[in-house]
């Protein structure tokens, strides 16, 4: 991940829980020219899952209706 930051100026822009043992972290350059996606385990080992060009940010999903919980 340090190489993505150093070589392409990518910074973390999002991520989430992959399982109870790993997370996903998305990095992108400030202008969206490049992006990288990493899986990271509980002890910090990182594996690049994908990399590419032309990152387009998505929309934030709306909150669930009042009183409902997400699965």
């Amino acid at each position: 991940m340090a190489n993505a930051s150093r070589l392409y100026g990518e910074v973390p822009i999002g991520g989430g829980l992959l399982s109870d043992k790993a997370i996903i972290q998305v990095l992108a350059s400030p202008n969206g020219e490049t992006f990288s996606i990493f899986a990271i385990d509980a002890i910090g080992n990182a594996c690049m899952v994908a990399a590419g060009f032309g990152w387009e940010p998505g929309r934030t999903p709306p909150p669930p209706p009042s009183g409902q919980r997400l699965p």
Side-chain angles (χ1 to χ4, degrees):
M1 288 181 15
N3 283 341
S5 295
R6 189 170 76 308
L7 294 174
Y8 302 105
E10 293 179 358
V11 296
I13 61 165
L17 190 60
L18 182 60
S19 70
D20 62 344
K21 295 180 173 64
I23 63 169
I24 286 287
Q25 186 160 42
V26 180
L27 290 80
S29 57
N31 62 3
E33 188 174 324
T34 64
F35 69 91
S36 302
I37 302 173
F38 292 88
I40 307 164
D41 70 13
I43 60 172
N45 295 315
C47 176
M48 182 179 280
V49 176
F53 301 95
W55 177 260
E56 300 257 344
R59 296 184 314 204
T60 302
S66 181
Q68 287 187 337
R69 293 178 46 164
L70 295 175

